[in-house]
Amino acid sequence: MKIPFVDLKTQYNSLKNEIDSAIHSIIDRTAFIKGPEIKEFEKAFAKDYGVKHCIGVANGTDAIYITLKMLGIGAGDEVITVANSWISTAETISQTGATPVFIDIDEFSTIDSSKIEEKINPKTKAIIPVHLYGQPADIKKIKAITDKHKLFLIEDCAQSHFAEFEGEKVGTFGNAATFSFYPGKNLGAYGDAGAIITNDGDLAEKLRMYANHGALTKHNHKITGINSRLDTIQAAIIKVKLPHIHEWNNERANNGAYYDKILNGIGDIIIPPKRENVKHVYHVYSIRTKHRNELVQFLKDSDIGTAIHYPVAIPFMEAYKDLNYQPSDLPNAAAFQDQILSYQALFYCR
Ligand SMILES: Cc1ncc(COP(=O)(O)O)c(C=O)c1O
């Protein structure tokens, strides 16, 4: 049996009628841009998160960029973030003209909260932790740091839809949280899509304005913005999928526990350590082994797909060579990048 790293077709088949009719209805009404499905999704997502505002945007990268811009971050500022993430978390900081300051990862592959304060200086404006692989970062400690130093806190929730830290949803701790609905994410559209959630009404208005060419109403451009609207068809698809996210997340967590059971103690495999008192939503199941290449080949020979998140930590990428980070600055990120391997965590057959 072939086990691809991501299987999007089986999930589609399970909701085919609803998804097909949602898409056809938009085409029938030619409601391609700013269709009612966008507001309906935003309302449902905000309600499920228990927050006041959700702003749909074109993708998870724009969600971070727009948030940084509307919090006033720009040239001369520093934003603290984590060394191991998808490049969006850092490149958006750079796009604003600010400088990303990278912190090493802890044993959970999230930002090491004990190493943040030593990097704070008068230029520091914000912290962006990433709840990577579906596991919450040490968010209460991070929030205590942002409160103490009066910094903005933006949670990158691209991989952690509805994950929880001590019973509270991650994404509700900071000034705003950003989401990706890239097809392979826990809540995935059929193209690019993203959103920002916040309880701050003034910020919500600015975010909405900036994402829509700086205008809240047509031809009323108050600032120069960008075109980063959530597509109506994508909104309709994730709206159909939203009621199923908890069932899928539970299935991912069950599969995580099953992997733990069968992989623990095999060779030098380190199963993913889990924080106490969190709801980990297993965007991927990420192990570590010093024999990664051999394991990848072995699994490939057995038709089992895997992936690496990520093979090069962001500060060590060519794009960031000017910042001159050395492996000794970020020892865990440097070591883990050669050892991590992700297994798919959502299956429909076992
Ligand atoms: C941690 C993280 N942040 C940001 C993003 C960016 O999202 P998108 O691909 O929707 O732009 C991703 C998506 O891969 C991600 O995994």
Side-chain angles (χ1 to χ4, degrees), residues 124-164:
T124 312
K125 293 290 167 343
I127 303 182
I128 312 183
V130 180
H131 306 297
L132 200 75
Y133 306 148
Q135 163 132 265
D138 195 5
I139 195 65
K140 283 203 172 161
K141 281 211 187 113
I142 299 166
K143 166 91 173 118
I145 295 169
T146 54
D147 283 351
K148 179 174 159 195
H149 296 274
K150 301 197 171 18
L151 304 173
F152 295 121
L153 174 56
I154 304 163
E155 294 176 77
D156 182 341
C157 294
Q159 301 190 8
S160 60
H161 310 74
F162 296 97
E164 292 177 12

Side-chain angles (χ1 to χ4, degrees), residues 203-271:
L203 179 62
E205 191 171 284
K206 284 189 201 159
L207 297 168
R208 200 173 281 293
M209 201 186 278
Y210 191 72
N212 186 42
H213 300 287
L216 283 174
T217 51
K218 204 163 187 179
H219 301 308
N220 190 9
H221 305 275
K222 292 198 186 296
I223 54 174
T224 55
I226 60 172
N227 178 0
S228 183
R229 293 182 290 247
L230 173 59
D231 181 78
T232 311
I233 289 179
Q234 303 310 333
I237 291 163
I238 47 182
K239 191 183 131 219
V240 168
K241 287 186 171 196
L242 185 59
H244 301 275
I245 184 71
H246 298 294
E247 166 203 326
W248 294 333
N249 278 348
N250 289 340
E251 180 67 10
R252 286 172 184 274
N254 289 341
N255 289 331
Y258 183 68
Y259 275 132
D260 280 351
K261 206 168 81 186
I262 58 172
L263 293 177
N264 197 16
I266 295 191
D268 73 338
I269 287 177
I270 299 175
I271 60 171

Side-chain angles (χ1 to χ4, degrees), residues 8 14 31 65 85 90 92 100 107 130 136 138 142 150 155 157 179-180 183 198 205 227-228 231 278 282-283 332 350:
L8 300 175
S14 74
Y65 173 70
S85 181
T92 47
E107 61 171 311
V130 180
D138 195 5
I142 299 166
K150 301 197 171 18
E155 294 176 77
C157 294
F179 291 84
S180 166
T198 181
E205 191 171 284
N227 178 0
S228 183
D231 181 78
V278 298
Y282 289 93
H283 173 53
N332 279 349
R350 194 175 54 220

Side-chain angles (χ1 to χ4, degrees), residues 59-61 64 85-86 88-89 130 156 158-159 180 182 185 193 310:
N59 54 66
T61 309
I64 308 170
S85 181
W86 176 241
S88 304
T89 318
V130 180
D156 182 341
Q159 301 190 8
S180 166
Y182 181 83
K185 296 292 196 249
Y310 295 92

